[in-house]
Amino acid sequence: MGWWEVNADTLARSRFVISPLAETFARLKLLHAGEAAHPGERDWLRAHLPSYQALLATDPVTDRLVRAGLGRDWIADFLTPTPRDGEEFAAEVARVRSVAPDLARRHLRTALAGPLPAVLDREDLPERAAALLEWVWREAVRPYWGRQRRVLEADVVARTARAGQGGWVSVLDSLRPGRTRWLGRNRLQVNLHEYPPREISGAEMLFVPVTPQRHGWVSWDDGERYALVYPCAGVLADAGARAVPAALATLLGPARAGVLVLLDSPMTTSQLTAVTGQGLGSVGRHLKVLRESGLVVGRRTGRSVLYGRTAAGDTVVAAAAPAEPG
């Protein structure tokens, strides 16, 4: 396993950052894999995978670059510059474009764990990588970025609330279950690779959420900045994951019923706004009615309030659910 040595001061200064390029790269990985984790990803792939495949079919060099750079066990580092707080996509992708060709080729050899194919022994690899990322951003990320950003912000709120409730260990263990966990004695496991540990005490440590559910990675600027990219909570990423029973929609109205259905897991107002697409005021009014009806309860954690269904709310949702066939 790979792990970082992190002292208490570094952990205390660590923070969450939202990165348009990280989201774009995660979407590139999703296009490359072609396998959806939930219905929302399946719909997105249906909309964008054909044009992505057609693009690469006309550009065999970039196609080979993607397959080499994403590797089987390791990503070519130049494709994933470490995020910086508040940096826009154009500035992030410019850092990919500015990588020295020799360094890009070296990173590709590491990802391949072997020699570089002759077709990739060329000077324009950073330019090709940046151009592909720009295409993914323009065609398949930017049209949805408003909602995706709200989802990522909602995930940060939830993780921050979890830190206040269960401490940093509970947050670290939940980022990529089975891959990230606090080992104790200043050690943070970041992946399952057998690589030498890194001493990062005194550096900046960042946690970066992305919406695709099966994708995550680590990146670093040695000695300065280290990032752990992780998939945000699945219930946030897939707004259509939970259908609203027709009877419940008739009883409460579709929007209010949708809020009640989502609250089988505690969520903040910001999370509900991100997931449902409703305005903050509308969500607040729905929560007020649901609380006054005894179907939902709010519990303060730090500066946030987490809302969840009461036993009565569970009963109402269960009673309205369609009967199982047979």
Side-chain angles (χ1 to χ4, degrees), residues 59-68 105 108 112 115-125 128:
D59 187 351
V61 175
T62 301
D63 178 54
R64 190 68 184 89
L65 170 60
V66 171
R67 288 187 283 123
R105 288 192 290 266
L108 287 170
L112 288 166
L116 192 69
V119 69
L120 295 181
D121 189 9
R122 49 194 302 142
E123 296 294 299
D124 62 349
L125 299 178
R128 285 178 173 275

Side-chain angles (χ1 to χ4, degrees), residues 1 172-173 176 178-183 187-190:
M1 63 184 175
L172 298 174
D173 288 353
R176 299 182 68 195
R179 293 177 179 270
T180 64
R181 62 191 175 111
W182 184 250
L183 301 172
R187 296 175 303 161
L188 170 62
Q189 177 182 316
V190 296

Side-chain angles (χ1 to χ4, degrees), residues 103-171:
L103 183 59
R105 288 192 290 266
R106 187 159 75 244
H107 288 173
L108 287 170
R109 284 192 288 269
T110 299
L112 288 166
L116 192 69
V119 69
L120 295 181
D121 189 9
R122 49 194 302 142
E123 296 294 299
D124 62 349
L125 299 178
E127 171 60 36
R128 285 178 173 275
L132 179 61
L133 288 165
E134 287 171 335
W135 183 91
V136 176
W137 165 255
R138 183 177 63 252
E139 300 295 329
V141 178
R142 190 170 61 186
Y144 315 99
W145 181 239
R147 179 186 178 275
Q148 287 176 343
R149 186 178 185 94
R150 291 194 300 271
V151 166
L152 298 174
E153 290 169 345
D155 185 84
V156 170
V157 170
R159 305 284 177 179
T160 304
R162 184 168 190 159
Q165 206 169 30
W168 267 111
V169 171
S170 67
V171 175

Side-chain angles (χ1 to χ4, degrees), residues 41-249:
E41 287 188 357
R42 186 166 58 245
D43 292 343
W44 183 85
L45 282 171
R46 189 179 298 117
H48 298 291
L49 186 56
S51 56
Y52 171 75
Q53 292 173 331
L55 176 72
L56 293 188
T58 66
D59 187 351
V61 175
T62 301
D63 178 54
R64 190 68 184 89
L65 170 60
V66 171
R67 288 187 283 123
L70 296 188
R72 186 169 59 184
D73 297 315
W74 194 257
I75 298 167
D77 289 347
F78 82 99
L79 298 174
T80 57
T82 305
R84 298 172 182 171
D85 196 10
E87 195 171 35
E88 298 293 332
F89 176 81
E92 291 185 299
V93 79
R95 291 200 279 137
V96 176
R97 185 171 269 114
S98 68
V99 170
D102 281 348
L103 183 59
R105 288 192 290 266
R106 187 159 75 244
H107 288 173
L108 287 170
R109 284 192 288 269
T110 299
L112 288 166
L116 192 69
V119 69
L120 295 181
D121 189 9
R122 49 194 302 142
E123 296 294 299
D124 62 349
L125 299 178
E127 171 60 36
R128 285 178 173 275
L132 179 61
L133 288 165
E134 287 171 335
W135 183 91
V136 176
W137 165 255
R138 183 177 63 252
E139 300 295 329
V141 178
R142 190 170 61 186
Y144 315 99
W145 181 239
R147 179 186 178 275
Q148 287 176 343
R149 186 178 185 94
R150 291 194 300 271
V151 166
L152 298 174
E153 290 169 345
D155 185 84
V156 170
V157 170
R159 305 284 177 179
T160 304
R162 184 168 190 159
Q165 206 169 30
W168 267 111
V169 171
S170 67
V171 175
L172 298 174
D173 288 353
S174 70
L175 293 178
R176 299 182 68 195
R179 293 177 179 270
T180 64
R181 62 191 175 111
W182 184 250
L183 301 172
R185 298 172 62 183
N186 291 351
R187 296 175 303 161
L188 170 62
Q189 177 182 316
V190 296
N191 56 38
L192 301 180
H193 299 307
E194 292 296 333
Y195 288 101
R198 287 178 173 267
E199 165 63 65
I200 75 167
S201 295
E204 184 178 21
M205 185 165 66
L206 307 172
F207 304 111
V208 186
V210 293
T211 61
Q213 290 297 286
R214 292 177 180 156
H215 304 282
W217 61 91
V218 295
S219 65
W220 52 76
D221 299 329
D222 268 333
E224 295 183 16
R225 187 179 298 106
Y226 294 78
L228 195 160
V229 181
Y230 69 92
C232 71
V235 68
L236 293 172
D238 184 15
R242 302 181 188 187
V244 177
L248 191 62

